[in-house]
Amino acid sequence: MSDIKLKRITIQNFKSLYDVSFEPGRVNVFIGANGSGKSSVLEAVGLLSAAMTDRVNAASLQRKGVRLSTSALYKSKFLSIEKESKTVNFSVEWGLNGHDYGYVNHMTVPNDDDAWKYFAESVTCDGESVYGRSNASSAKLNNKIGYFTISEALSGKDYVQAAKYIGDYGIYQPDTLTLRGTVADPIQTNPIGLNGGRLAEAIQDLLHEEDGDMMFGSMFMEDMLELIDWASEFKVSKPKKSILNPGVPTTQQIIEFRDKYLKDTASFTGYDASEGALYVLFMLSLAMHEKAPKMFAIDSFDHAMNPRLARKVTEVFTNKIIEENKTVFMTTHNPLVLDGLDLSNDDIRLFTTDRNKHGHVEIRRVQVSEKLLKMDQPLSRLWINGVLGGVPELL
């Protein structure tokens, strides 16, 4: 079975995204000033995912990690637009098994309850209509439910595969207290939780022995420990008084570390470990775990990581995403993350988000050009110096 290749995503009238379109790769990194629309892009994809494969309401959006706003804030309300659109519009195009598919959705925001309504919905294959409905359709269809997964016209294996790939999307935002196991994860999605509350379980699944070598997913343990340079070992165990204070709230399974500079008897848990180590484990678990979504997002990828560590983790993480045929959308404010991206690989794409004079978000792909090559500077330096865009206009 072939893998899905996303070709284009279009978003209209959603928050600050008045009319944007971009062509994603496997790894998609968004950079920009605070408030430039990076997180809104991730949330728009979340809303698209819910609309295509389920329904759109507070429960479905929360499961995908989308912030819940008031109805008035979901739809673009720019001063420069005299007549507001009635609908928020989304579309996604993808390739699969030699065919080109497209899904288009027009929705109205909630009014008397929290349910979004389907104003129009259509699916195409190789430019030909496969399914469509609208308010003008003669058939009496529930306008609060998406029909992509229940229409007989879309029951073929290609449509089922696309629904699974896009429908499992979620926005992951690891949180230190949740990763440490002291706070419950509000969205405990399989296998790791949107905030990392099931990290120990995910790690347990990935740890195994292969031909006498200890492995973490598809990585040799020694390669993994290079990223956590103070650790000689990590494993998953049950909470016990010798390594965890009884007054500390915890989960049923905990991550146990050994520090190579300490005696073997001085093991400790994720509660006492460097938060950077937990974020590294979270990112790579998400990239390699077979039950993790094939398509997902991470908001603030660099959180809690030293800049040089963030650069190296970015390099390893992107390689694993491509190996696993996954698609990731991620935001960052750390320039060193950019130095971990191999932009000569078309699967890895960098985008800037900026607001134009009307406040509309504009998305631009950064590609390696002769001009950039002649500057002979790392991407981090080019970003800081304003060459790439995606920087605040500060005096």
Side-chain angles (χ1 to χ4, degrees), residues 111-364:
N111 187 7
D112 53 347
D113 57 18
D114 77 339
W116 293 55
K117 294 180 181 179
Y118 291 73
F119 186 83
E121 188 180 30
S122 63
V123 179
T124 58
C125 175
D126 296 328
E128 299 291 327
S129 177
V130 178
Y131 170 82
R133 65 163 172 159
S134 71
N135 271 4
S137 299
S138 57
K140 296 294 183 181
L141 300 176
N142 189 330
N143 66 358
K144 294 182 181 180
I145 296 177
Y147 275 73
F148 189 93
T149 57
I150 59 178
S151 169
E152 289 186 9
L154 305 174
S155 59
K157 63 180 182 180
D158 279 12
Y159 298 108
V160 173
Q161 186 179 347
K164 175 67 175 172
Y165 195 97
I166 297 172
D168 284 348
Y169 175 90
I171 304 170
Y172 290 80
Q173 294 180 293
D175 168 81
T176 300
L177 293 178
T178 309
L179 291 171
R180 293 196 191 284
T182 59
V183 173
D185 197 322
I187 311 295
Q188 299 225 3
T189 54
N190 193 30
I192 200 168
L194 287 187
N195 297 141
R198 300 177 64 181
L199 178 60
E201 296 175 45
I203 291 173
Q204 181 68 65
D205 292 339
L206 289 167
L207 290 172
H208 67 283
E209 193 172 311
E210 191 174 303
D211 297 328
D213 293 310
M214 194 62 193
M215 307 289 291
F216 180 69
S218 59
M219 293 181 66
F220 288 102
M221 183 57 77
E222 53 261 41
D223 294 334
M224 187 66 201
L225 291 174
E226 285 184 7
L227 300 174
I228 311 174
D229 60 353
W230 52 265
S232 61
E233 179 189 20
F234 65 86
K235 61 182 181 180
V236 175
S237 62
K238 298 287 186 182
K240 45 186 180 286
K241 294 180 181 179
S242 59
I243 57 173
L244 187 67
N245 188 300
V248 175
T250 187
T251 52
Q252 291 185 343
Q253 291 181 302
I254 58 171
I255 309 165
E256 186 175 343
F257 293 91
R258 290 189 187 277
D259 190 317
K260 64 184 179 183
Y261 301 106
L262 302 179
K263 294 179 179 179
D264 288 345
T265 54
S267 61
F268 50 90
T269 73
Y271 180 77
D272 293 301
S274 151
E275 62 177 343
L278 299 175
Y279 281 83
V280 170
L281 289 167
F282 178 91
M283 299 302 176
L284 293 177
S285 294
L286 199 50
M288 293 188 289
H289 202 295
E290 64 178 3
K291 292 183 180 179
K294 284 286 191 178
M295 173 175 145
F296 62 92
I298 300 174
D299 210 359
S300 297
F301 177 82
D302 54 279
H303 188 75
M305 284 189 275
N306 171 278
R308 293 185 68 181
L309 175 61
R311 179 182 63 190
K312 183 61 179 177
V313 172
T314 299
E315 180 185 326
V316 175
F317 176 82
T318 55
N319 287 338
K320 292 302 175 185
I321 289 293
I322 293 169
E323 284 179 16
E324 299 290 334
N325 293 311
K326 295 186 177 184
T327 299
V328 65
F329 304 85
M330 48 199 259
T331 68
T332 184
H333 286 283
N334 188 336
L336 267 294
V337 166
L338 274 59
D339 292 343
L341 301 174
D342 177 11
L343 294 189
S344 65
N345 183 341
D346 195 48
D347 283 332
I348 301 173
R349 302 189 179 185
L350 175 64
F351 300 91
T352 62
T353 58
D354 292 286
R355 305 283 287 270
N356 66 19
K357 65 180 182 179
H358 299 298
H360 307 172
V361 172
E362 295 182 343
I363 299 175
R364 183 178 65 87

Side-chain angles (χ1 to χ4, degrees), residues 20-45:
V20 300
S21 182
F22 66 97
E23 299 176 3
R26 290 290 180 193
V27 176
N28 305 280
V29 180
F30 293 85
I31 58 173
N34 296 99
S36 64
K38 301 184 299 300
S39 296
S40 293
V41 174
L42 307 190
E43 291 183 325
V45 178

Side-chain angles (χ1 to χ4, degrees), residues 31 334-344 348 350 366-369 372-373 376-389:
I31 58 173
N334 188 336
L336 267 294
V337 166
L338 274 59
D339 292 343
L341 301 174
D342 177 11
L343 294 189
S344 65
I348 301 173
L350 175 64
V366 177
Q367 291 182 281
V368 176
S369 64
L372 290 183
L373 291 174
D376 195 27
Q377 294 183 26
L379 286 172
S380 57
R381 178 60 59 185
L382 294 172
W383 184 22
I384 291 171
N385 289 340
V387 175
L388 305 180

